[in-house]
Structures are given as structure tokens and as C-alpha cells.
């Protein structure tokens, strides 16, 4: 959660709840695949879409920690929806 708050929340929203023009990462297919999220966050695979690379700021293990946080948030939201 701390890495997400530092690097991602400015664009992708507090607690991974996005609004507006950027993707809501709780619903991203990229969170299902460590290599895909690393390609986006570290390798800059979506730089043409405005998603900058964080290669100078984080290691692949950091990208994986963010992915795990996003999976946790997605599961929390699914559990809330199921209890309604």
C-alpha cells in the first residue's frame, strides 16, 4: 500500500479507486500477471498512452508488491459487493 500511495495514487486514485481518464487498476487485467505489470511499471510498455516508466524509482519486487496490493483491493471490493 505504501508504494502504491507514493507512486500510483496521484493518477490512479486513493485506495486504487480511480476516476476520470486513467484506468481503475482494481479492474485491470494486468494485475493478474506479474510480467505484464512489470512491463508497464518498470519497462514502460504503455508510455505511448501516458504511463511513464518507474525504472529509476523502483525495482521489479516493488512492482510486484504494488500488484499484490491491487489484487488485495480488488478482492476486498468483490467481497463488499457480494455482501450487499
Amino acid at each position: 500500500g505504501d508504494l502504491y500511495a507514493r507512486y500510483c495514487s496521484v493518477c490512479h486514485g486513493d485506495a486504487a479507486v480511480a476516476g476520470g481518464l486513467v484506468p481503475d487498476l482494481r479492474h485491470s487485467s494486468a494485475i493478474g500477471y506479474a510480467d505484464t505489470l512489470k512491463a508497464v511499471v518498470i519497462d514502460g510498455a504503455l508510455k505511448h498512452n501516458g504511463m511513464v516508466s518507474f525504472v529509476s524509482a523502483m525495482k521489479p519486487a516493488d512492482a510486484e508488491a504494488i500488484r499484490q496490493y491491487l489484487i488485495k483491493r480488488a478482492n476486498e471490493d468483490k467481497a463488499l459487493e457480494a455482501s450487499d
Side-chain angles (χ1 to χ4, degrees), residues 49-83:
N49 287 355
M51 172 60 198
V52 300
S53 166
F54 285 89
V55 69
S56 63
M58 62 176 81
K59 298 176 170 72
D62 298 327
E64 177 60 13
I66 290 168
R67 188 178 79 88
Q68 293 298 323
Y69 169 74
L70 293 170
I71 291 168
K72 176 178 170 273
R73 285 291 299 117
N75 287 334
E76 287 170 354
D77 291 342
K78 285 179 190 168
L80 283 174
E81 290 169 11
S83 68

Side-chain angles (χ1 to χ4, degrees), residues 2-21:
D2 290 342
L3 288 167
Y4 178 90
R6 179 182 294 171
Y7 296 108
C8 313
S9 66
V10 170
C11 293
H12 290 285
D14 287 340
V17 179
L21 301 174

